[in-house]
Amino acid sequence: MDHADVVVVGAGVVGLACARALALAGREVLLLESESAFGTGVSSRNSEVIHAGLYYPNGSLKARHCVAGKRMLYDYCMQRGIPFRRCGKLLVATDESQIAQIEKLKRNAAGNGVADLQWLSAAQAVALEPALRCRAALLSPSSGIIDSHAFMLSLLGDVENAGGTAVFNTPVRGGRIETDGIIVEAQGADPLKARLVINCAALGAQALAGAIGGFPAAHIPRLHYARGVYFSLSGRSPFRHLIYPLPEAAGLGVHLTIDLGGQAKFGPDVEWIDQLLYEVDASRAEGFYAEISKYWPGIGNHSLQPAYAGIRPKIHGPGEPPADFHIAGREVHGVRGMISLFGIESPGLTAALSIAEQVAALASAD
């Protein structure tokens, strides 16, 4: 039987970042991906926003990794020439009743170490963005956008330059835990024994953990699919900043983001579903117009075109409190040689490099 030092399952942005961190630490890394290319799932179906760290509870993994990851990500992009823009974001209150909520978010962000937020009156916000309608706003100067594909391509290059190997079209179907390692069974390949397995399979993480014989089922959180669709704007956007309404229970609201080419898009909404569905129903635009017009009354009734959909791998369901990232090694589940990542949704892109640091630390202690 072949042997491997580290097997990372899943070549999304977090899997790539983890593989990179471990390869740079001198581990022999084998990165296995079920699809024909990296980042084709959750990592390619998001807003490509670099988040500042406003929303997440103080002391949570999401808060910690978002704030640290943002700093690391900007530094990485500047060092490697990855396209990005620190365009800033306006979090807007569209009626008087929301101002207190924005003030609360500002205090929460300060508790997370986000110290650069600026309070804007309605007049000050409109001076920045004349097409905007609001009662007040928070300006987050450190929010931005990134070419996520270029970022992931660079991470893959780092893995390979450090001696790691990526293998595509190789879904991991299961395996079993043994006293001296973990047997990994991948389609189209002979079983191999790994000293360490990192489960970064995103929407497939729970299924993979359940297929590893001997992994405790009590430590596999339930997976919930939260689908969100995006619509693109026909014509040029009048906004230079990202525009965000107040967050909703399961997401950040129907916000406006701008890609590096200047194309504006809106989304995502939230729809709880039972199976993976990526089609965009054009009729959902009606609800988008209603939400967008609260902060941009000038949007035309025929300005939106269906773009794409993404599915968040949530580990809390409808009506439940938002869950934190779940990053677990032996100290949590008791299995030597296994690190599992569940519920890595937003701000996973921003947080990827920081998450990878935690995984590398867990790996060194295993």
Short mmCIF file of all heavy atoms in Angstrom, two decimals, residues 202-259:
data_model
loop_
_atom_site.label_atom_id
_atom_site.label_comp_id
_atom_site.label_asym_id
_atom_site.label_seq_id
_atom_site.Cartn_x
_atom_site.Cartn_y
_atom_site.Cartn_z
N ALA A 202 -15.82 21.13 1.98
CA ALA A 202 -16.90 22.12 1.88
C ALA A 202 -18.28 21.47 1.93
O ALA A 202 -18.64 20.87 2.94
CB ALA A 202 -16.71 22.96 0.61
N LEU A 203 -19.04 21.53 0.84
CA LEU A 203 -20.38 20.93 0.83
C LEU A 203 -20.34 19.42 0.97
O LEU A 203 -21.36 18.80 1.31
CB LEU A 203 -21.10 21.31 -0.46
CG LEU A 203 -21.50 22.79 -0.59
CD1 LEU A 203 -21.84 23.13 -2.04
CD2 LEU A 203 -22.67 23.12 0.32
N GLY A 204 -19.19 18.82 0.75
CA GLY A 204 -19.05 17.37 0.90
C GLY A 204 -18.35 16.95 2.17
O GLY A 204 -18.06 15.76 2.35
N ALA A 205 -18.07 17.89 3.07
CA ALA A 205 -17.27 17.57 4.26
C ALA A 205 -17.96 16.59 5.19
O ALA A 205 -17.34 15.66 5.72
CB ALA A 205 -16.92 18.86 5.01
N GLN A 206 -19.27 16.78 5.39
CA GLN A 206 -19.99 15.86 6.28
C GLN A 206 -20.05 14.46 5.69
O GLN A 206 -19.87 13.47 6.41
CB GLN A 206 -21.40 16.40 6.55
CG GLN A 206 -21.47 17.46 7.64
CD GLN A 206 -21.20 18.87 7.14
OE1 GLN A 206 -20.67 19.06 6.05
NE2 GLN A 206 -21.58 19.86 7.93
N ALA A 207 -20.33 14.36 4.40
CA ALA A 207 -20.39 13.04 3.76
C ALA A 207 -19.05 12.34 3.83
O ALA A 207 -18.99 11.12 4.08
CB ALA A 207 -20.85 13.19 2.31
N LEU A 208 -17.98 13.09 3.64
CA LEU A 208 -16.65 12.48 3.71
C LEU A 208 -16.36 11.98 5.12
O LEU A 208 -15.89 10.85 5.30
CB LEU A 208 -15.59 13.49 3.28
CG LEU A 208 -14.15 13.03 3.43
CD1 LEU A 208 -13.88 11.78 2.60
CD2 LEU A 208 -13.19 14.15 3.05
N ALA A 209 -16.64 12.80 6.13
CA ALA A 209 -16.39 12.38 7.50
C ALA A 209 -17.19 11.14 7.84
O ALA A 209 -16.69 10.22 8.50
CB ALA A 209 -16.73 13.52 8.47
N GLY A 210 -18.44 11.08 7.37
CA GLY A 210 -19.27 9.93 7.63
C GLY A 210 -18.81 8.67 6.93
O GLY A 210 -19.15 7.55 7.35
N ALA A 211 -18.04 8.83 5.85
CA ALA A 211 -17.55 7.68 5.09
C ALA A 211 -16.20 7.18 5.58
O ALA A 211 -15.69 6.20 5.05
CB ALA A 211 -17.46 8.05 3.61
N ILE A 212 -15.62 7.88 6.56
CA ILE A 212 -14.36 7.43 7.15
C ILE A 212 -14.70 6.52 8.33
O ILE A 212 -15.18 6.96 9.37
CB ILE A 212 -13.51 8.62 7.64
CG1 ILE A 212 -13.19 9.56 6.48
CG2 ILE A 212 -12.24 8.12 8.32
CD1 ILE A 212 -12.24 9.02 5.45
N GLY A 213 -14.49 5.24 8.16
CA GLY A 213 -14.82 4.28 9.20
C GLY A 213 -14.08 4.56 10.49
O GLY A 213 -12.86 4.71 10.49
N GLY A 214 -14.82 4.67 11.58
CA GLY A 214 -14.22 4.95 12.89
C GLY A 214 -14.28 6.39 13.31
O GLY A 214 -13.98 6.72 14.47
N PHE A 215 -14.69 7.29 12.38
CA PHE A 215 -14.81 8.69 12.77
C PHE A 215 -16.12 8.85 13.55
O PHE A 215 -17.17 8.41 13.08
CB PHE A 215 -14.79 9.62 11.57
CG PHE A 215 -14.69 11.09 11.95
CD1 PHE A 215 -13.45 11.65 12.18
CD2 PHE A 215 -15.82 11.87 12.11
CE1 PHE A 215 -13.33 12.98 12.54
CE2 PHE A 215 -15.72 13.20 12.48
CZ PHE A 215 -14.47 13.75 12.70
N PRO A 216 -16.09 9.48 14.73
CA PRO A 216 -17.28 9.54 15.58
C PRO A 216 -18.39 10.39 14.99
O PRO A 216 -18.20 11.58 14.73
CB PRO A 216 -16.76 10.14 16.89
CG PRO A 216 -15.50 10.85 16.53
CD PRO A 216 -14.91 10.09 15.39
N ALA A 217 -19.54 9.79 14.77
CA ALA A 217 -20.67 10.50 14.15
C ALA A 217 -21.12 11.69 14.99
O ALA A 217 -21.65 12.67 14.44
CB ALA A 217 -21.84 9.53 13.96
N ALA A 218 -20.93 11.63 16.30
CA ALA A 218 -21.35 12.73 17.17
C ALA A 218 -20.59 14.02 16.88
O ALA A 218 -21.04 15.11 17.26
CB ALA A 218 -21.15 12.35 18.64
N HIS A 219 -19.47 13.92 16.19
CA HIS A 219 -18.66 15.10 15.87
C HIS A 219 -18.81 15.51 14.40
O HIS A 219 -17.95 16.21 13.87
CB HIS A 219 -17.20 14.85 16.22
CG HIS A 219 -16.95 14.80 17.70
ND1 HIS A 219 -16.87 15.93 18.48
CD2 HIS A 219 -16.81 13.75 18.54
CE1 HIS A 219 -16.66 15.59 19.73
NE2 HIS A 219 -16.63 14.27 19.81
N ILE A 220 -19.90 15.09 13.78
CA ILE A 220 -20.21 15.54 12.41
C ILE A 220 -21.47 16.41 12.50
O ILE A 220 -22.57 15.88 12.65
CB ILE A 220 -20.45 14.35 11.46
CG1 ILE A 220 -19.27 13.39 11.49
CG2 ILE A 220 -20.71 14.86 10.04
CD1 ILE A 220 -19.49 12.13 10.67
N PRO A 221 -21.32 17.73 12.44
CA PRO A 221 -22.51 18.58 12.52
C PRO A 221 -23.40 18.41 11.30
O PRO A 221 -22.93 18.12 10.20
CB PRO A 221 -21.94 19.99 12.60
CG PRO A 221 -20.59 19.89 11.99
CD PRO A 221 -20.09 18.51 12.28
N ARG A 222 -24.68 18.62 11.51
CA ARG A 222 -25.61 18.49 10.40
C ARG A 222 -25.37 19.58 9.36
O ARG A 222 -25.11 20.74 9.72
CB ARG A 222 -27.05 18.57 10.91
CG ARG A 222 -28.10 18.33 9.84
CD ARG A 222 -29.51 18.39 10.39
NE ARG A 222 -30.49 18.27 9.31
CZ ARG A 222 -31.79 18.45 9.47
NH1 ARG A 222 -32.27 18.74 10.67
NH2 ARG A 222 -32.62 18.33 8.44
N LEU A 223 -25.46 19.22 8.09
CA LEU A 223 -25.27 20.16 6.99
C LEU A 223 -26.61 20.70 6.51
O LEU A 223 -27.56 19.94 6.33
CB LEU A 223 -24.56 19.46 5.83
CG LEU A 223 -24.41 20.25 4.52
CD1 LEU A 223 -23.53 21.48 4.71
CD2 LEU A 223 -23.84 19.35 3.42
N HIS A 224 -26.67 22.02 6.31
CA HIS A 224 -27.86 22.66 5.75
C HIS A 224 -27.43 23.45 4.51
O HIS A 224 -26.44 24.18 4.55
CB HIS A 224 -28.50 23.62 6.76
CG HIS A 224 -28.92 22.96 8.04
ND1 HIS A 224 -30.18 22.45 8.23
CD2 HIS A 224 -28.23 22.74 9.19
CE1 HIS A 224 -30.26 21.94 9.45
NE2 HIS A 224 -29.10 22.10 10.05
N TYR A 225 -28.18 23.31 3.43
CA TYR A 225 -27.91 24.05 2.21
C TYR A 225 -28.67 25.38 2.23
O TYR A 225 -29.90 25.39 2.29
CB TYR A 225 -28.35 23.27 0.98
CG TYR A 225 -27.62 21.98 0.71
CD1 TYR A 225 -28.28 20.93 0.06
CD2 TYR A 225 -26.29 21.79 1.07
CE1 TYR A 225 -27.63 19.73 -0.21
CE2 TYR A 225 -25.64 20.61 0.80
CZ TYR A 225 -26.31 19.58 0.16
OH TYR A 225 -25.66 18.40 -0.11
N ALA A 226 -27.95 26.48 2.16
CA ALA A 226 -28.57 27.80 2.05
C ALA A 226 -28.17 28.39 0.70
O ALA A 226 -27.02 28.82 0.51
CB ALA A 226 -28.14 28.73 3.18
N ARG A 227 -29.09 28.35 -0.23
CA ARG A 227 -28.81 28.79 -1.60
C ARG A 227 -29.01 30.29 -1.72
O ARG A 227 -29.92 30.88 -1.14
CB ARG A 227 -29.77 28.06 -2.55
CG ARG A 227 -29.61 28.33 -4.02
CD ARG A 227 -30.54 27.40 -4.78
NE ARG A 227 -30.47 27.58 -6.21
CZ ARG A 227 -31.27 28.40 -6.90
NH1 ARG A 227 -32.19 29.10 -6.25
NH2 ARG A 227 -31.16 28.51 -8.20
N GLY A 228 -28.14 30.92 -2.48
CA GLY A 228 -28.26 32.35 -2.75
C GLY A 228 -28.00 32.63 -4.21
O GLY A 228 -27.05 32.11 -4.79
N VAL A 229 -28.85 33.43 -4.83
CA VAL A 229 -28.67 33.76 -6.24
C VAL A 229 -28.18 35.19 -6.39
O VAL A 229 -28.37 36.03 -5.51
CB VAL A 229 -29.97 33.54 -7.06
CG1 VAL A 229 -30.44 32.11 -6.95
CG2 VAL A 229 -31.05 34.50 -6.63
N TYR A 230 -27.52 35.42 -7.51
CA TYR A 230 -26.99 36.74 -7.85
C TYR A 230 -27.59 37.19 -9.18
O TYR A 230 -27.80 36.39 -10.09
CB TYR A 230 -25.47 36.70 -8.00
CG TYR A 230 -24.71 36.45 -6.72
CD1 TYR A 230 -24.53 35.15 -6.25
CD2 TYR A 230 -24.15 37.50 -6.00
CE1 TYR A 230 -23.82 34.90 -5.08
CE2 TYR A 230 -23.44 37.27 -4.83
CZ TYR A 230 -23.28 35.97 -4.38
OH TYR A 230 -22.57 35.73 -3.23
N PHE A 231 -27.83 38.48 -9.26
CA PHE A 231 -28.25 39.11 -10.51
C PHE A 231 -27.23 40.19 -10.85
O PHE A 231 -26.76 40.92 -9.98
CB PHE A 231 -29.64 39.75 -10.37
CG PHE A 231 -30.77 38.75 -10.39
CD1 PHE A 231 -31.12 38.07 -9.24
CD2 PHE A 231 -31.46 38.48 -11.55
CE1 PHE A 231 -32.15 37.14 -9.23
CE2 PHE A 231 -32.50 37.56 -11.58
CZ PHE A 231 -32.84 36.88 -10.41
N SER A 232 -26.88 40.28 -12.12
CA SER A 232 -25.96 41.32 -12.58
C SER A 232 -26.74 42.53 -13.09
O SER A 232 -27.91 42.41 -13.48
CB SER A 232 -25.04 40.79 -13.68
OG SER A 232 -25.80 40.36 -14.79
N LEU A 233 -26.11 43.67 -13.06
CA LEU A 233 -26.73 44.92 -13.46
C LEU A 233 -26.44 45.20 -14.93
O LEU A 233 -25.28 45.17 -15.36
CB LEU A 233 -26.21 46.07 -12.60
CG LEU A 233 -26.73 47.46 -12.91
CD1 LEU A 233 -28.21 47.57 -12.54
CD2 LEU A 233 -25.93 48.52 -12.16
N SER A 234 -27.48 45.47 -15.69
CA SER A 234 -27.28 45.90 -17.07
C SER A 234 -26.82 47.36 -17.07
O SER A 234 -27.43 48.21 -16.44
CB SER A 234 -28.60 45.79 -17.86
OG SER A 234 -29.05 44.46 -17.89
N GLY A 235 -25.75 47.62 -17.77
CA GLY A 235 -25.23 48.98 -17.78
C GLY A 235 -24.26 49.23 -16.65
O GLY A 235 -23.97 48.35 -15.83
N ARG A 236 -23.78 50.44 -16.57
CA ARG A 236 -22.74 50.80 -15.61
C ARG A 236 -23.35 51.15 -14.26
O ARG A 236 -24.38 51.80 -14.17
CB ARG A 236 -21.91 51.97 -16.14
CG ARG A 236 -20.68 52.28 -15.32
CD ARG A 236 -19.70 53.13 -16.09
NE ARG A 236 -18.47 53.33 -15.34
CZ ARG A 236 -17.47 52.47 -15.29
NH1 ARG A 236 -17.56 51.35 -15.97
NH2 ARG A 236 -16.39 52.72 -14.58
N SER A 237 -22.68 50.74 -13.21
CA SER A 237 -23.13 51.05 -11.85
C SER A 237 -22.80 52.50 -11.50
O SER A 237 -21.72 53.00 -11.84
CB SER A 237 -22.45 50.12 -10.84
OG SER A 237 -22.66 50.57 -9.53
N PRO A 238 -23.70 53.18 -10.80
CA PRO A 238 -23.39 54.54 -10.35
C PRO A 238 -22.57 54.56 -9.06
O PRO A 238 -22.22 55.64 -8.57
CB PRO A 238 -24.78 55.14 -10.12
CG PRO A 238 -25.61 53.98 -9.69
CD PRO A 238 -25.09 52.81 -10.47
N PHE A 239 -22.26 53.39 -8.51
CA PHE A 239 -21.59 53.32 -7.21
C PHE A 239 -20.12 52.95 -7.36
O PHE A 239 -19.74 52.14 -8.20
CB PHE A 239 -22.28 52.28 -6.32
CG PHE A 239 -23.71 52.62 -6.00
CD1 PHE A 239 -24.76 52.02 -6.69
CD2 PHE A 239 -24.01 53.55 -5.01
CE1 PHE A 239 -26.08 52.32 -6.40
CE2 PHE A 239 -25.33 53.86 -4.71
CZ PHE A 239 -26.36 53.25 -5.41
N ARG A 240 -19.29 53.53 -6.50
CA ARG A 240 -17.87 53.19 -6.44
C ARG A 240 -17.56 52.28 -5.25
O ARG A 240 -16.57 51.56 -5.26
CB ARG A 240 -17.02 54.47 -6.34
CG ARG A 240 -17.12 55.38 -7.56
CD ARG A 240 -16.27 56.63 -7.40
NE ARG A 240 -16.77 57.48 -6.30
CZ ARG A 240 -16.13 57.67 -5.16
NH1 ARG A 240 -14.98 57.05 -4.94
NH2 ARG A 240 -16.63 58.46 -4.24
N HIS A 241 -18.38 52.36 -4.22
CA HIS A 241 -18.22 51.53 -3.03
C HIS A 241 -19.16 50.32 -3.10
O HIS A 241 -20.15 50.33 -3.83
CB HIS A 241 -18.53 52.32 -1.76
CG HIS A 241 -17.64 53.49 -1.52
ND1 HIS A 241 -17.79 54.70 -2.19
CD2 HIS A 241 -16.59 53.64 -0.68
CE1 HIS A 241 -16.87 55.54 -1.76
NE2 HIS A 241 -16.13 54.94 -0.85
N LEU A 242 -18.85 49.31 -2.30
CA LEU A 242 -19.81 48.24 -2.06
C LEU A 242 -20.92 48.81 -1.18
O LEU A 242 -20.66 49.59 -0.26
CB LEU A 242 -19.14 47.07 -1.34
CG LEU A 242 -17.81 46.57 -1.93
CD1 LEU A 242 -17.25 45.43 -1.07
CD2 LEU A 242 -17.96 46.14 -3.37
N ILE A 243 -22.16 48.42 -1.45
CA ILE A 243 -23.30 48.92 -0.70
C ILE A 243 -24.01 47.74 -0.04
O ILE A 243 -24.47 46.83 -0.72
CB ILE A 243 -24.30 49.69 -1.58
CG1 ILE A 243 -23.58 50.77 -2.42
CG2 ILE A 243 -25.40 50.30 -0.72
CD1 ILE A 243 -22.95 51.87 -1.62
N TYR A 244 -24.08 47.78 1.30
CA TYR A 244 -24.68 46.68 2.06
C TYR A 244 -25.83 47.18 2.92
O TYR A 244 -25.66 48.18 3.64
CB TYR A 244 -23.65 46.03 3.00
CG TYR A 244 -22.78 44.98 2.37
CD1 TYR A 244 -21.93 45.29 1.31
CD2 TYR A 244 -22.78 43.68 2.84
CE1 TYR A 244 -21.11 44.33 0.74
CE2 TYR A 244 -21.96 42.70 2.27
CZ TYR A 244 -21.13 43.04 1.22
OH TYR A 244 -20.32 42.08 0.66
N PRO A 245 -26.97 46.52 2.86
CA PRO A 245 -28.02 46.79 3.85
C PRO A 245 -27.65 46.11 5.17
O PRO A 245 -26.58 45.50 5.29
CB PRO A 245 -29.25 46.15 3.22
CG PRO A 245 -28.70 44.98 2.47
CD PRO A 245 -27.34 45.43 1.95
N LEU A 246 -28.51 46.21 6.15
CA LEU A 246 -28.27 45.50 7.40
C LEU A 246 -28.35 43.99 7.17
O LEU A 246 -29.13 43.52 6.33
CB LEU A 246 -29.29 45.91 8.45
CG LEU A 246 -29.01 47.26 9.11
CD1 LEU A 246 -30.18 47.68 9.98
CD2 LEU A 246 -27.74 47.21 9.93
N PRO A 247 -27.54 43.22 7.90
CA PRO A 247 -27.54 41.76 7.70
C PRO A 247 -28.87 41.14 8.10
O PRO A 247 -29.59 41.65 8.96
CB PRO A 247 -26.41 41.27 8.60
CG PRO A 247 -26.24 42.34 9.62
CD PRO A 247 -26.57 43.63 8.92
N GLU A 248 -29.16 39.99 7.45
CA GLU A 248 -30.34 39.21 7.78
C GLU A 248 -29.93 38.05 8.68
O GLU A 248 -28.74 37.85 8.97
CB GLU A 248 -30.98 38.67 6.49
CG GLU A 248 -31.39 39.76 5.52
CD GLU A 248 -31.81 39.20 4.16
OE1 GLU A 248 -31.52 38.00 3.91
OE2 GLU A 248 -32.41 39.94 3.38
N ALA A 249 -30.91 37.26 9.11
CA ALA A 249 -30.63 36.15 10.02
C ALA A 249 -29.67 35.14 9.40
O ALA A 249 -28.82 34.58 10.09
CB ALA A 249 -31.93 35.47 10.42
N ALA A 250 -29.78 34.86 8.10
CA ALA A 250 -28.97 33.82 7.46
C ALA A 250 -27.97 34.36 6.45
O ALA A 250 -27.33 33.59 5.75
CB ALA A 250 -29.88 32.80 6.80
N GLY A 251 -27.84 35.67 6.33
CA GLY A 251 -26.92 36.23 5.35
C GLY A 251 -26.74 37.72 5.56
O GLY A 251 -27.22 38.29 6.55
N LEU A 252 -26.04 38.34 4.62
CA LEU A 252 -25.72 39.76 4.75
C LEU A 252 -26.66 40.65 3.95
O LEU A 252 -26.37 41.83 3.76
CB LEU A 252 -24.27 40.00 4.32
CG LEU A 252 -23.21 39.25 5.14
CD1 LEU A 252 -21.81 39.60 4.67
CD2 LEU A 252 -23.37 39.54 6.62
N GLY A 253 -27.78 40.11 3.51
CA GLY A 253 -28.74 40.92 2.77
C GLY A 253 -28.36 41.03 1.30
O GLY A 253 -27.27 40.66 0.87
N VAL A 254 -29.29 41.54 0.51
CA VAL A 254 -29.06 41.69 -0.93
C VAL A 254 -28.20 42.94 -1.13
O VAL A 254 -28.70 44.07 -1.14
CB VAL A 254 -30.39 41.81 -1.70
CG1 VAL A 254 -30.13 42.08 -3.17
CG2 VAL A 254 -31.19 40.52 -1.55
N HIS A 255 -26.91 42.73 -1.25
CA HIS A 255 -25.98 43.85 -1.33
C HIS A 255 -25.45 44.03 -2.75
O HIS A 255 -25.57 43.15 -3.60
CB HIS A 255 -24.82 43.66 -0.35
CG HIS A 255 -24.18 42.31 -0.39
ND1 HIS A 255 -24.54 41.28 0.46
CD2 HIS A 255 -23.19 41.81 -1.17
CE1 HIS A 255 -23.80 40.22 0.21
NE2 HIS A 255 -22.98 40.51 -0.78
N LEU A 256 -24.86 45.19 -2.98
CA LEU A 256 -24.27 45.51 -4.27
C LEU A 256 -22.76 45.37 -4.17
O LEU A 256 -22.13 45.96 -3.29
CB LEU A 256 -24.62 46.94 -4.68
CG LEU A 256 -24.03 47.46 -5.99
CD1 LEU A 256 -24.97 48.46 -6.65
CD2 LEU A 256 -22.66 48.12 -5.80
N THR A 257 -22.19 44.56 -5.05
CA THR A 257 -20.75 44.46 -5.15
C THR A 257 -20.33 44.77 -6.58
O THR A 257 -21.13 44.67 -7.52
CB THR A 257 -20.24 43.07 -4.74
OG1 THR A 257 -20.82 42.08 -5.60
CG2 THR A 257 -20.59 42.76 -3.31
N ILE A 258 -19.10 45.14 -6.74
CA ILE A 258 -18.55 45.51 -8.04
C ILE A 258 -17.31 44.67 -8.27
O ILE A 258 -16.44 44.59 -7.39
CB ILE A 258 -18.19 47.01 -8.10
CG1 ILE A 258 -19.38 47.86 -7.65
CG2 ILE A 258 -17.72 47.41 -9.49
CD1 ILE A 258 -19.03 49.29 -7.33
N ASP A 259 -17.21 44.03 -9.43
CA ASP A 259 -16.00 43.25 -9.68
C ASP A 259 -14.90 44.14 -10.22
O ASP A 259 -15.09 45.35 -10.44
CB ASP A 259 -16.28 42.04 -10.58
CG ASP A 259 -16.68 42.42 -12.01
OD1 ASP A 259 -16.37 43.55 -12.46
OD2 ASP A 259 -17.31 41.58 -12.68
#
